[in-house]
Each structure stands twice: as C-alpha cells, then as structure tokens.
C-alpha cells in the first residue's frame, strides 16, 4: 500500500503556479487577485479560508480577505459580490460555504460573475464542464483527478465508485471521471444506495465524500484499489492541543491494508483543493490580461 502524498503533489504544482504568476507580472504587469469571503465563524470554514489566503499570498497573488458577521443579510452579501465582480484588481471571487441559514447559497453563487467563479460553482461553469467546454473546473474534483494520476493509475476503462452526491464533490467528480479524456465507468452511490459494499468491491477507484467517518472499511474494497478520501471530520481527542483530531470518511487502517494507494486525512485532498483554486485564479487573471 502506498500513501498518496497530497502535500507533495500540491507543493510541486504550487511552484509551477508561482512561476506563472511571476511571468504574468513581468509580461503584462498583472497580479492575480483572489477575494475570499467568509460569513460567520464556523471553525472549519475559518481554517479553510485562512489556508486559502495564505496559499494565495505564498504564490505571489493578491489576497483580499473579507470577514463578515453571521448577521450579514443576503442583500448586503449580494452587493459585495457585485462590487467584487466589477473590481479590476480581483480575478477570482470565492464565497466560502456553508452560509448561514438565512442566506440563500443559490442566490449568492448565481451572483458571482462566471469569469471570476474560480470555485467552478456557478450554473454556467457547471454546465460548461458537463458539455466539455472550456471552464473553471471545480477545485476538489479537479484535485482528485490529479491525485489518482499521481498515484500512478491510468484511469481509462477503470470502474470508479463515487460515494456522495453533493454539488461540490460527488456530482462533479463523477462527471469528470466519466469524461472522454478520463474515460472511467462511474457508479454514483449515495444514501439511497442499497448495498454499498456490492459496488465498492468491484471498484478500481473509490472516491468517498459522504461526510461520515467509517463510511468505507477495508472489507468493502477490492485488493489494490485506489482510495481517495474527501472526508474531513473532527473527532474529540483530549490528547491533542486543539482537543480534536481530523479523520476522513474511510477507516484508514483497514482500508490501507487492502488498498493499492490511499490519501491520508489530513494531507491528501485538502492541499489539492487549494492548489486547484490557485490554478483557476491564475487562469482567470491570464484571461483578464488578454
Ligand atoms: N466549502 C467546502 N468546500 C468548499 C470549496 O471548495 N469552496 C467553497 N467556496 N466553499 C467550500
């Protein structure tokens, strides 16, 4: 079994991205700018946006950090998104999800200009991805494809089982894996699936994005399968300084004993999500620079 080192792959790609940022500055005088909006203080979201902002600065990009109170209204947030859509120093606009209950995520995502939608969440970018047009690919699904390739697997013709049908991960990763370039046969499993293990035991690739620890165990895997664990779950742990530890959706020990390769949590998918965000922001800035 091989642990797939998402930090290493992310570091390699981020070095390339930083090179692209330097060239864009030198040749066109343009510094890629990313606005990261956080509403409220959900602890997981705070740590994600902090990591995104840091990575952005480390790549030589401009990071515009906007922190808003949980009481922010939907019209206030929509006005802010519209102002950033118009701001020439900003090439990417990211609104961290989830949003407080009184704000419609759909309304806010719909307000992001598709050419600044570096998360790839707007209906325009999702539609373009499905029909194979040039678009911003959603960051976590794109990072997952890179991780599977980095593990040394030729995806073409393989059976990939995706567990979870979220708009952020499950649905788009299933769409990307089944595109002609990747050419996997995809089974999308979810909470309505009757016998999950029946499907996973036949899988060459399992992407687990269910949001529940222990969703995937070693007895559910075919020997040699590649496992991509998207889960980030906080488990209380008094022996840790923060009082918790992170675990994925896969039971690492038992899966690692059967899998050919598996991503750890943390250090697998997370760093790649941020890397593909930087990649999209650089693309957005290049397009704006002409
Ligand atoms: N919440 C969880 N993952 C993501 C992500 O990739 N982007 C945004 N904006 N919110 C998220």
């Amino acid at each position: 079994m091989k642990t797939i080192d998402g930090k290493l792959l992310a570091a390699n790609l981020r070095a390339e991205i930083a090179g692209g940022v330097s060239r864009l500055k030198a040749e066109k005088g343009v510094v890629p700018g990313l606005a990261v909006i956080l509403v409220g203080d959900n602890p997981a979201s705070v740590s994600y946006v902090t990591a995104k902002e840091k990575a952005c600065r480390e790549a030589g990009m401009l990071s515009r950090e906007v922190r808003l109170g949980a009481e922010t209204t939907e019209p206030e947030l929509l006005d802010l998104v519209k102002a950033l859509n118009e701001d020439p120093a900003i090439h990417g606009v990211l609104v961290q999800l989830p949003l407080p209950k009184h704000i419609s995520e759909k309304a806010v995502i719909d307000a992001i200009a598709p050419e600044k939608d570096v998360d790839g969440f707007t209906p325009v970018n999702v539609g373009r991805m499905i029909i194979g047009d040039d678009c911003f690919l959603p960051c976590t699904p794109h990072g997952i494809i890179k991780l599977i390739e980095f593990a040394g697997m030729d995806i073409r013709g393989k059976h990939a089982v995706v567990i979870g049908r979220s708009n952020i991960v499950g649905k788009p990763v299933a769409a990307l894996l089944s595109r002609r370039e990747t050419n996997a046969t995809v089974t999308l499993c979810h909470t309505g699936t009757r016998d999950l293990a029946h499907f996973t035991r036949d899988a060459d690739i399992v992407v687990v994005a269910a949001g529940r620890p222990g969703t995937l165990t070693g007895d559910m895997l075919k020997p040699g399968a590649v496992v991509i664990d998207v889960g980030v779950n906080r488990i209380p742990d008094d022996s840790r300084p923060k009082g918790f530890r992170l675990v994925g959706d896969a039971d690492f020990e038992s899966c690692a004993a059967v899998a050919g390769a598996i991503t750890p949590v943390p250090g697998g998918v997370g760093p790649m999500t941020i890397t593909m965000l930087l990649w999209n922001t650089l693309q957005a800035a290049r397009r704006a620079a002409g």
Side-chain angles (χ1 to χ4, degrees):
M1 190 283 305
K2 179 168 102 175
T3 300
I4 307 171
D5 189 345
K7 276 198 217 163
L8 175 64
L9 177 57
N12 294 344
L13 289 170
R14 285 184 204 188
E16 255 182 61
I17 293 167
V21 172
S22 300
R23 280 195 298 281
L24 188 64
K25 274 185 204 169
E27 289 165 14
K28 303 269 168 105
V30 171
V31 179
L34 174 67
V36 179
I37 305 170
L38 173 65
V39 185
D41 58 1
N42 174 309
S45 292
V46 171
S47 85
Y48 296 148
V49 300
T50 306
K52 288 173 185 180
E53 291 158 351
K54 179 167 171 272
C56 190
R57 289 191 300 272
E58 284 172 357
M61 300 185 184
L62 166 80
S63 167
R64 177 90 58 85
E65 297 155 21
V66 189
R67 298 284 206 276
L68 302 172
E71 71 292 347
T72 303
T73 65
E74 186 175 307
E76 283 168 343
L77 184 54
L78 291 173
D79 283 347
L80 172 66
V81 168
K82 284 172 197 152
L84 292 166
N85 284 343
E86 304 291 318
D87 187 334
I90 296 299
H91 305 98
V93 176
L94 179 151
V95 181
Q96 186 66 24
L97 303 180
L99 287 168
K101 295 256 177 305
H102 64 278
I103 300 178
S104 157
E105 287 187 356
K106 179 177 158 42
V108 174
I109 290 169
D110 282 354
I112 300 171
E115 66 276 14
K116 296 194 179 187
D117 170 29
V118 287
D119 259 330
F121 285 175
T122 60
V124 169
N125 277 310
V126 175
R128 285 179 182 156
M129 175 191 65
I130 295 291
I131 62 179
D133 272 1
D134 192 26
C135 65
F136 293 117
L137 294 180
C139 305
T140 302
H142 193 188
I144 289 169
I145 302 288
K146 297 262 182 213
L147 283 164
I148 300 169
E149 290 170 348
F150 184 59
M153 177 169 273
D154 181 359
I155 300 172
R156 290 171 296 175
K158 298 296 193 308
H159 182 201
V161 167
V162 177
I163 308 171
R165 60 181 145 189
S166 70
N167 289 335
I168 292 185
V169 184
K171 279 192 263 185
V173 83
L176 286 185
L177 284 164
S178 57
R179 292 207 308 185
R180 201 169 283 277
E181 302 92 298
T182 25
N183 233 9
T185 299
V186 178
T187 303
L188 180 55
C189 297
H190 43 71
T191 47
T193 299
R194 281 204 203 126
D195 182 0
L196 182 59
H198 166 78
F199 297 101
T200 56
R201 279 193 196 112
D202 185 59
D204 305 298
I205 300 163
V206 181
V207 177
V208 56
R212 191 173 59 89
T215 299
L216 188 70
T217 46
D219 58 308
M220 298 166 72
L221 288 174
K222 176 160 93 176
V226 170
V227 175
I228 305 293
D229 189 350
V230 189
V232 184
N233 306 290
R234 290 183 176 204
I235 303 287
D237 184 344
D238 291 339
S239 72
R240 302 292 175 100
K242 290 185 175 164
F244 66 86
R245 68 191 152 88
L246 294 179
V247 300
D249 289 349
D251 174 56
F252 189 85
E253 295 263 297
S254 65
C255 288
V258 184
I262 182 169
T263 57
V265 177
V269 173
M272 286 303 294
T273 294
I274 299 179
T275 302
M276 302 330 288
L277 171 70
L278 300 178
W279 171 252
N280 282 348
T281 305
L282 175 59
Q283 300 311 315
R286 278 186 179 146
R287 284 178 204 161

